[in-house]
């Protein structure tokens, strides 16, 4: 009996775009951006000489401030090399035609992988994780929208397929893409960021997550856990006159043979101090509870340090 197998879904080049700061617009502004995104993509892709393939796109989805679609992977050199600059020019023309409107900035992600005709699958999820990269968002947030209107991120697979193939991709260079580690939810993969016309040697490297996956926070020495009572106020110190007066008024105890009576009297306050139900009764007895044993550090209290924090708190309050 021959083994069964399923054919792999066709490889798709996945293109996704998202408008920055869409929620800050008013209703009319949102409607305008929603209406402009698809014509802008069509204009930029036509200028990139892939309009015929764009007409054959699959699983196109409009999300209000975003759009995603799949295309034949043979267009990847054009998407990586020609499309970002063409989209930048299309956004500039839109700005010139509507100077009173808010400048539109777009984030773009490009990925590739096997996907069914519905577009549902891991490559689609990874495309949106790239689009949600914090560094990509930060670039557009700190940029002048009149100058920088496009930020592109491509997966490592797309980068390697395009630049290692040697296929002509316009005039873009590999050095125009900055590699960094993308961390979004459980997704963690290297990717490449591209700003059309920007020289990355002029950029501050601190805007990106380091490629070393070791979390820097784990290299710091661990802080010693704080004792649960370290934040509680200390009891007020007794004055010498009160201490002498209470000592003088305390009756002298005569020890029974064998030390039985004296031991029981010394153990009584200790048991009351360690028991919730006896704290109130100990307070009511007044003179016998006036003088307490000196407080010891938490590490030197023996069994007392092992009690719950709530019991120790009651003891501290009774000392006042």
């Amino acid at each position: 009996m021959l083994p069964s197998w399923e054919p792999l879904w066709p490889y798709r080049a996945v293109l996704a775009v998202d408008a920055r700061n869409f929620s800050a617009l008013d209703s009319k502004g949102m409607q305008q951006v929603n209406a402009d995104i698809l014509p802008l993509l069509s204009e930029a892709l036509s200028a990139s000489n892939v309009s015929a393939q764009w007409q054959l796109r699959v699983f196109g989805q409009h999300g209000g401030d975003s759009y995603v679609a799949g295309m034949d992977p043979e267009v990847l050199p054009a998407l990586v090399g020609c499309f970002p600059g063409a989209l930048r020019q299309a956004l500039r023309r839109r700005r010139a035609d509507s100077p009173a409107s808010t400048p539109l900035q777009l984030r773009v992600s490009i990925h590739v992988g096997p996907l069914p005709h519905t577009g549902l699958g891991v490559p689609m999820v990874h495309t949106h994780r790239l689009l949600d990269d914090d560094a990509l968002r930060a670039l557009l947030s700190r940029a002048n929208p009149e100058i920088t209107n496009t930020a592109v991120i491509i997966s490592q697979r797309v980068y390697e397929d395009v630049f290692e193939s040697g296929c002509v991709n316009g005039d873009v260079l590999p050095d125009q893409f900055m590699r960094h580690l993308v961390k979004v939810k459980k997704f963690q993969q290297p990717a490449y960021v591209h700003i059309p016309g920007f020289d990355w040697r002029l950029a501050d490297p601190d805007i990106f997550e380091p490629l070393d996956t070791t979390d820097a926070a784990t290299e710091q020495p661990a802080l010693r856990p704080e004792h649960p009572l370290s934040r509680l106020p200390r009891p007020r110190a007794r004055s010498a006159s009160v201490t002498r007066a209470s000592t003088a008024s305390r009756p002298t105890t005569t020890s029974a043979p064998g030390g039985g009576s004296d031991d029981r009297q010394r153990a009584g306050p200790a048991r009351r101090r360690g028991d919730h139900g006896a704290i109130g009764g100990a307070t009511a007895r007044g003179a016998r509870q006036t003088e307490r044993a000196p407080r010891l550090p938490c590490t030197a209290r023996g069994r007392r340090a092992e009690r719950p924090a709530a019991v120790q708190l009651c003891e501290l309050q009774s000392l006042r």
Side-chain angles (χ1 to χ4, degrees):
M1 182 176 178
L2 295 176
S4 60
W5 58 274
E6 291 181 318
L8 187 65
W9 296 308
Y11 265 67
R12 313 284 190 183
V14 186
L15 172 66
V17 298
D18 186 84
R20 175 185 174 266
N21 215 16
F22 181 77
S23 60
L25 301 174
D26 56 23
S27 297
K28 284 190 174 181
M30 291 181 180
Q31 295 170 11
Q32 188 62 52
V33 169
N34 178 275
D36 288 348
I37 285 183
L38 193 53
L40 284 168
L41 291 178
S42 299
E43 179 182 346
L45 290 166
S46 178
S48 304
N49 196 23
V50 292
S51 58
Q53 292 86 347
W54 178 243
Q55 295 299 324
L56 301 176
R57 63 186 179 274
V58 293
F59 51 76
Q61 301 173 18
H62 208 312
D65 62 339
S66 62
Y67 191 85
V68 61
M71 303 172 65
D72 194 294
E74 68 180 11
V75 302
L76 280 175
L79 293 181
V80 171
C82 306
F83 174 72
L87 182 61
R88 178 191 183 195
Q89 294 301 325
L91 287 169
R92 282 187 171 183
R93 284 189 290 270
R94 177 187 184 272
R95 177 63 175 156
D97 294 340
S98 305
S101 63
T102 303
L104 178 59
Q105 294 175 291
L106 293 179
R107 302 192 314 276
V108 180
S109 66
I110 303 172
H111 189 35
V112 65
L115 283 171
H117 67 279
T118 61
L120 297 177
V122 173
M124 177 65 74
V125 174
H126 289 180
T127 302
H128 285 90
R129 293 292 180 264
L130 294 173
L131 199 62
D132 291 336
D133 178 37
D134 288 338
L136 193 70
R137 292 177 179 272
L139 283 173
L140 284 186
S141 297
R142 64 192 297 183
N144 184 341
E146 302 287 353
I147 300 173
T148 304
N149 55 33
T150 305
V152 182
I153 187 168
I154 66 176
S155 66
Q156 180 166 301
R157 183 186 300 179
V158 170
Y159 180 89
E160 293 173 351
D161 289 349
V162 169
F163 290 107
E164 292 181 2
S165 69
C167 295
V168 176
N169 51 53
D171 57 356
V172 71
L173 302 173
D175 289 343
Q176 292 178 268
F177 291 79
M178 175 62 71
R179 186 172 185 258
H180 91 106
L181 187 66
V182 176
K183 294 181 180 180
V184 179
K185 297 183 179 180
K186 294 182 179 180
F187 177 84
Q188 181 172 317
Q189 289 186 13
Y192 292 80
V193 177
H194 173 57
I195 305 295
F198 185 71
D199 184 356
W200 285 111
R201 292 189 178 184
L202 304 177
D204 180 3
D206 292 339
I207 62 177
F208 290 116
E209 183 75 19
L211 284 176
D212 186 6
T213 57
T214 302
D215 190 355
T218 61
E219 298 177 359
Q220 300 296 329
L223 296 177
R224 297 181 61 184
E226 187 178 20
H227 193 278
L229 298 183
S230 61
R231 294 188 298 272
L232 296 178
R234 294 182 180 275
R236 293 187 296 271
R238 291 178 177 272
S239 63
S241 59
V242 174
T243 303
R244 286 194 299 271
S246 61
T247 304
S249 62
R250 186 175 60 184
T252 304
T253 302
T254 304
S255 300
S261 174
D262 187 51
D263 290 343
R264 284 193 300 271
Q265 291 202 19
R266 284 200 304 268
R271 286 196 300 270
R272 284 193 295 270
R273 284 197 301 270
D275 180 51
H276 276 293
I279 290 178
T283 305
R285 290 179 177 84
R288 288 189 299 172
Q289 299 295 328
T290 303
E291 185 176 2
R292 304 286 183 182
R295 295 180 72 250
L296 298 176
C298 294
T299 56
R301 291 180 193 170
R303 294 178 57 188
R304 195 174 160 184
E306 300 175 0
R307 294 179 186 143
V311 177
Q312 298 190 33
L313 174 59
C314 293
E315 294 177 5
L316 284 176
Q317 292 175 344
S318 66
L319 289 176
R320 295 184 174 182

